[in-house]
Amino acid sequence: MQATQLWSHWQALLEPFDDAFTYWGFQRFSEWLTGLALNVEEHTITQSLVGLDRAADWKALESFAEYGAWDQGAVERAAAGLLDEAPERLWYGYRVWGGDDTKVHRSSKNVWGTCTFHEYTARCPNRAATVRAHNWVVVGALLPRPDQPAVFLPHTGRLYFRQSQLPAGETFHTKCELLVDMVRGEAATVGGAHLAVFDGGFALRSVVRPLVQPAPGQPRVEFLTRLRGDARLHARPDPDEAPRRGPKRKWGRRLAPPRQGGRWPGRWQEGKAFIYGRTRKVRWKEVVCLWKVLGHDVPVKAVVAEVEGYRKRFTLVSSACELSGLQLVELFCARFRQEDGFRDLKQRLGWEECRAWTKQPILRTTQAVLLVLSLLRLLQFRLEAAAGDDWWFHPPWNRRKTRPSVLDLGRLLRQHRGEIQRLLAAQLGTDDKTEPAEATGG
């Protein structure tokens, strides 16, 4: 793989963001994301510039992160367009989105937007039970891969604040409101059928009803989530029921709770699906019914499944009733790839190494890190289409490795660091335009 070809792919991925910035703002944006992708140390602005051998640009780039013109809506629209062009974007006819929240630890109370949270994983006595962190709600695309785990491409995020620790000038929004707002934005930007997949923590009336019963003019988004074992389910009213006095019946007879899904009407079915790293046998039962949380107007499909290798049954519910129970299990299990994405963001791309203290650099650094991970994965797809499977290193000591990781993509870029530095310098330095003060906040 030649450096010029690699740089051409990278530039093509950055080009759609041009409209979100001024001329020089886009140059700084490109420089920032390229530095994050190349950097192997602390992923701060200064260290990223050191990795590009452009340390003299530190003041201009830090000023851009704090004061530069940045159209967040245009950035999100450009990213949504790139994600929609990814191979195999449709999964069973839907554009599938994964949504969840995650914490990014910060140590000082003087950092804008941090809140205190109880750390449930702090089982070690040397770790604090209460931590200070940014709590982000993140939405991204889930893409299927043949005989491989799905790929999570983060798109954008919103910062959640506790109401008691709300920064001055900010409006309080619940995590559910933030998730609904972002998913609706995805559906409004890109047409077609959309499916939001999220964990049972978001399986609330305030999430599912706005998605499937939107206000006039807003797109409908189907959902898939985990169902509580004691959820209240009802059969649909029998249309052939003998007439009776009073209003028309809205709810049918009550069904057994999901923890007793074997009692639902219908037969058990069997099949195979790629779930959690390998193909597994699945035995499931499904029923189209009414869910008390969503109301009597919208039928849902409830699924109880026994998955090979797991003792507990999976209980799921979705408004996409045309999908089979096996497909719903496969889609929901793919949601865990979002956790792998959070790991890559924090451990490989330095999400928790952010040294910003004020509002705009904190928000923009997170958006930049999310975009870098998605752009690296999109770069992977382009390289696979152009060069097949030969561009990444296949370790002879690990013959079970069948797919590239974010580390492989970063390693490929760093192999051509010198040439990329030269090409970036030519891009930033050949134009006769002078950088105005408002482009970088100077």
Side-chain angles (χ1 to χ4, degrees), residues 295-311:
H296 61 84
D297 298 325
V298 182
V300 297
K301 177 170 286 188
V303 179
V304 58
E306 298 173 351
V307 180
E308 177 188 357
Y310 291 86
R311 292 182 298 174

Side-chain angles (χ1 to χ4, degrees), residues 138-216:
V138 179
V139 167
L142 288 170
L143 306 182
R145 304 288 287 168
D147 299 322
Q148 292 182 7
V151 176
F152 174 71
L153 303 182
H155 179 215
T156 190
R158 299 287 186 270
L159 190 55
Y160 165 77
F161 314 102
R162 287 183 180 273
Q163 192 167 13
S164 60
Q165 298 174 317
L166 193 67
E170 297 297 320
T171 303
F172 174 72
H173 297 284
T174 65
K175 293 180 186 179
C176 296
E177 291 172 342
L178 296 175
L179 179 67
V180 169
D181 178 68
M182 286 189 289
V183 172
R184 278 178 169 175
E186 311 290 5
T189 302
V190 180
H194 294 260
L195 175 68
V197 186
F198 42 84
D199 193 38
F202 290 99
L204 304 173
R205 178 179 303 183
S206 58
V207 176
V208 298
R209 288 194 178 186
L211 291 178
V212 300
Q213 296 176 314

Side-chain angles (χ1 to χ4, degrees), residues 37-326:
L38 278 173
N39 191 14
V40 73
E41 300 180 20
E42 290 187 357
H43 290 73
T44 59
I45 285 179
T46 50
Q47 287 297 320
S48 297
L49 290 175
V50 168
L52 292 173
D53 196 24
R54 298 190 62 85
D57 292 346
W58 72 272
K59 183 61 177 176
L61 190 51
E62 286 195 346
S63 297
F64 168 72
E66 177 71 57
Y67 308 109
W70 180 301
D71 188 340
Q72 180 64 22
V75 169
E76 294 180 5
R77 289 191 296 272
L82 280 174
L83 296 181
D84 200 54
E85 296 173 0
E88 300 182 79
R89 179 64 183 98
L90 293 181
W91 199 346
Y92 297 132
Y94 286 96
R95 290 169 173 82
V96 182
W97 302 94
D100 204 352
D101 69 305
T102 185
K103 296 179 179 64
V104 177
H105 291 196
R106 298 298 300 268
S107 58
S108 175
K109 65 179 181 180
N110 296 320
V111 176
W112 181 87
T114 57
C115 297
T116 54
F117 301 93
H118 182 70
E119 184 61 85
Y120 295 96
T121 60
R123 299 185 179 94
C124 175
N126 294 328
R127 293 183 63 183
T130 302
V131 299
R132 187 170 292 277
H134 287 131
N135 196 350
W136 290 92
V137 181
V138 179
V139 167
L142 288 170
L143 306 182
R145 304 288 287 168
D147 299 322
Q148 292 182 7
V151 176
F152 174 71
L153 303 182
H155 179 215
T156 190
R158 299 287 186 270
L159 190 55
Y160 165 77
F161 314 102
R162 287 183 180 273
Q163 192 167 13
S164 60
Q165 298 174 317
L166 193 67
E170 297 297 320
T171 303
F172 174 72
H173 297 284
T174 65
K175 293 180 186 179
C176 296
E177 291 172 342
L178 296 175
L179 179 67
V180 169
D181 178 68
M182 286 189 289
V183 172
R184 278 178 169 175
E186 311 290 5
T189 302
V190 180
H194 294 260
L195 175 68
V197 186
F198 42 84
D199 193 38
F202 290 99
L204 304 173
R205 178 179 303 183
S206 58
V207 176
V208 298
R209 288 194 178 186
L211 291 178
V212 300
Q213 296 176 314
Q218 293 184 339
R220 169 171 169 151
V221 180
E222 310 297 344
F223 69 86
L224 169 60
T225 186
R226 179 169 51 85
L227 193 61
R228 286 176 52 130
D230 59 351
R232 191 167 180 177
L233 303 175
H234 290 259
R236 290 182 290 182
D238 185 1
D240 298 328
E241 182 183 22
R244 65 186 186 92
R245 292 183 178 181
K248 186 177 180 181
R249 192 186 301 274
K250 297 179 179 179
W251 303 88
R253 62 183 179 83
R254 187 170 179 179
L255 300 178
R259 63 172 177 266
Q260 300 173 356
R263 299 182 180 180
W264 291 347
R267 61 182 180 85
W268 285 94
Q269 304 179 58
E270 295 184 355
K272 293 183 179 180
F274 196 92
I275 295 173
Y276 294 145
R278 65 182 177 90
T279 301
R280 300 175 186 267
K281 295 180 180 179
V282 181
R283 181 171 177 263
W284 82 94
K285 180 178 285 192
E286 60 187 59
V287 61
V288 177
C289 58
L290 302 178
W291 185 27
K292 199 69 174 180
V293 171
L294 186 57
H296 61 84
D297 298 325
V298 182
V300 297
K301 177 170 286 188
V303 179
V304 58
E306 298 173 351
V307 180
E308 177 188 357
Y310 291 86
R311 292 182 298 174
K312 293 185 177 180
R313 288 176 172 177
F314 289 42
T315 54
L316 308 176
V317 62
S318 175
S319 59
C321 296
E322 71 279 5
L323 297 180
S324 71
L326 185 63

Side-chain angles (χ1 to χ4, degrees), residues 8-51:
S8 176
H9 286 309
W10 186 250
Q11 286 294 94
L13 291 171
L14 291 174
E15 185 178 359
F17 298 96
D18 188 11
D19 293 338
F21 307 97
T22 63
Y23 172 83
W24 276 108
F26 178 66
Q27 302 303 314
R28 295 305 173 199
F29 176 79
S30 302
E31 184 180 27
W32 191 2
L33 267 62
T34 305
L36 287 172
L38 278 173
N39 191 14
V40 73
E41 300 180 20
E42 290 187 357
H43 290 73
T44 59
I45 285 179
T46 50
Q47 287 297 320
S48 297
L49 290 175
V50 168

